[in-house]
Each structure stands twice: as C-alpha cells, then as structure tokens.
Amino acid sequence: MDSIKKSKQHKIVRLLLMVMVMGSSCSKAQEVVPGKKILIVYVSRTNNTKAVAQIIQRNVGGDLVALELETPYPADYKITVDQVSKENETGYLPPLKTKINNISKYDIIFVGAPTWGMQLPPPMKSFLSEYNLSGKTVVPFNTNAGYGIGSSFETVKEFCPKSTVLEGFSIKGGIERDGVLFVMEGKKEEEAEGKIKSWLQKIKLL
C-alpha cells in the first residue's frame, strides 16, 4: 500500500512540475512586448497581405484593421492599375471609410500592403497622412508579385519622420495581372509563418 501511495505522490509531483513549466512558457509568450498595445493595419486586394497580417496577429496579438476606401477601387485589374498610377502621379490620397478611434493608445503599429506600381498603395499613404504616429514604433510588411518592395518602406519612413521605423518584412504573394490571386494557404502559409516568426524574433517583437 505504501508503495502505491508513493507512486501516486510521484505522479502528482510530476504533473505539478509539468503545469509549472507550461505556465512559465505561456506567460513568456504572452509577455513578448509587455505593457505595449499593438495595432496591425493593412491594405489587401487579393487577401495575401491580409493572411500575413493574421499570422502576425497570431504571434504578437493586437488589434487587426483592414483599410477600406469611401469609394472602393474597381474590380477590373487594368482599370485599377490606371487609377492608382494617376493617384501616384498627382499625389492624390483617396479618403478612407475606415476610422480608427483612440489611435493614441497604441504603442506599436504594423502597417502592411502589397506593392502597387513599385510603390506604397495610396490607401496606406492616406492612413499614414491622416493619423499622427509620432513617438510610436512603426513596423512595415509587404507582399508583392516577385518584383520586390519598390519604394514602399522608404515611403513609410517619409510619412513617419518622428516614429521609430523597424526593419520591414516582405514576401511573394499573388500575381493578379496573371490571374494568380490568393496563394497564402497550405504549405505556402506554413512557410510564410516560419519566415514571419524569424523576422519578428530578429526585430525583438517575439
């Protein structure tokens, strides 16, 4: 009987130790950026940038916001390309339907967008122009058709001269011009998550 009691006691001790270890690792994961409020803002036409934003949120938490325009872009790809090209040439900033209350409460703001015409999309420029991000940490991320970020990250820095802009993340997404739309699923999503985690660790946000 004594041996049975001792065996049970040993099992209970082992279980308690496991719970303590698990509790310790969980608290560390939740305190990646202790005391900091995180906002993840993104523009996404084919949902690839949205998928990246969701992966970031899964790893660091925070609030997720998709930017929408008062007048959405046309569904037709070619017409949208022409419209965006004119907006970039003239510096026009399309009005946002999306409104973010109390943006002052956030400390870290991720800003994500695809590369359009080798530039930051006008809706994201509208966001950076409309909201004062002075004193905040701004973290850009990007999806593109394989041609890179263009001037996107430099534009973020230009719009945020009084913010701390961290190293950005970029990954290949869809190619809408060729009819390749949403690709961030299955093995591609798993690969993306691995790369995103490595980036977040590198900039000390994970």
Side-chain angles (χ1 to χ4, degrees), residues 44-78:
S44 192
R45 182 172 167 89
T46 56
N47 288 328
N48 291 295
T49 309
K50 177 183 179 180
V52 172
Q54 291 172 331
I55 292 172
I56 292 171
Q57 186 189 39
R58 283 204 300 267
N59 284 276
V60 302
D63 296 329
L64 195 64
V65 176
L67 293 182
E68 297 181 14
L69 296 179
E70 287 184 359
T71 304
Y73 287 114
D76 186 277
Y77 172 73
K78 182 64 171 62

Side-chain angles (χ1 to χ4, degrees), residues 170-203:
S170 181
I171 191 169
K172 185 177 178 182
I175 310 174
E176 188 177 2
R177 178 197 62 196
D178 298 339
V180 180
L181 304 179
F182 184 66
V183 299
M184 290 291 170
E185 56 187 345
K187 187 176 180 180
K188 175 72 173 176
E189 183 185 15
E190 291 176 12
E191 291 173 354
E193 180 140 20
K195 291 177 180 178
I196 290 166
K197 284 183 176 179
S198 296
W199 163 64
L200 290 171
Q201 289 169 349
K202 184 178 181 182
I203 62 174

Side-chain angles (χ1 to χ4, degrees), residues 3-199:
S3 62
I4 294 173
K5 283 183 179 180
K6 285 182 179 179
S7 176
K8 285 183 177 180
Q9 287 173 346
H10 285 312
K11 286 181 179 178
I12 291 169
V13 169
R14 283 199 299 269
L15 283 169
L16 286 171
L17 286 171
M18 287 175 65
V19 169
M20 288 171 67
V21 169
M22 288 173 67
S24 173
S25 63
C26 285
S27 64
K28 285 181 181 177
Q30 290 167 357
E31 293 181 356
V32 171
V33 215
K36 301 293 184 182
K37 290 279 190 179
I38 296 175
L39 175 66
I40 305 165
V41 181
Y42 68 91
V43 175
S44 192
R45 182 172 167 89
T46 56
N47 288 328
N48 291 295
T49 309
K50 177 183 179 180
V52 172
Q54 291 172 331
I55 292 172
I56 292 171
Q57 186 189 39
R58 283 204 300 267
N59 284 276
V60 302
D63 296 329
L64 195 64
V65 176
L67 293 182
E68 297 181 14
L69 296 179
E70 287 184 359
T71 304
Y73 287 114
D76 186 277
Y77 172 73
K78 182 64 171 62
I79 295 174
T80 297
V81 167
D82 292 341
Q83 181 176 330
V84 168
S85 178
K86 290 175 182 175
E87 290 174 351
N88 284 333
E89 286 175 10
T90 61
Y92 176 73
L93 300 178
L96 295 173
K97 176 183 177 182
T98 304
K99 302 299 177 188
I100 301 173
N101 296 323
N102 301 321
I103 199 165
S104 59
K105 73 179 181 181
Y106 295 103
D107 307 289
I108 300 170
I109 300 181
F110 287 82
V111 291
T115 303
W116 286 0
M118 298 309 291
Q119 296 189 41
L120 191 70
M124 185 55 74
K125 293 178 186 175
S126 294
F127 167 76
L128 295 174
S129 175
E130 184 173 337
Y131 293 94
N132 181 10
L133 306 186
S134 297
K136 301 184 184 300
T137 297
V138 176
V139 194
F141 62 96
N142 162 273
T143 61
N144 60 79
Y147 301 107
I149 63 173
S151 61
S152 293
F153 291 174
E154 286 304 315
T155 301
V156 171
K157 291 178 182 178
E158 289 169 8
F159 274 92
C160 304
K162 295 182 180 180
S163 305
T164 299
V165 182
L166 300 186
E167 177 184 335
F169 173 81
S170 181
I171 191 169
K172 185 177 178 182
I175 310 174
E176 188 177 2
R177 178 197 62 196
D178 298 339
V180 180
L181 304 179
F182 184 66
V183 299
M184 290 291 170
E185 56 187 345
K187 187 176 180 180
K188 175 72 173 176
E189 183 185 15
E190 291 176 12
E191 291 173 354
E193 180 140 20
K195 291 177 180 178
I196 290 166
K197 284 183 176 179
S198 296
W199 163 64

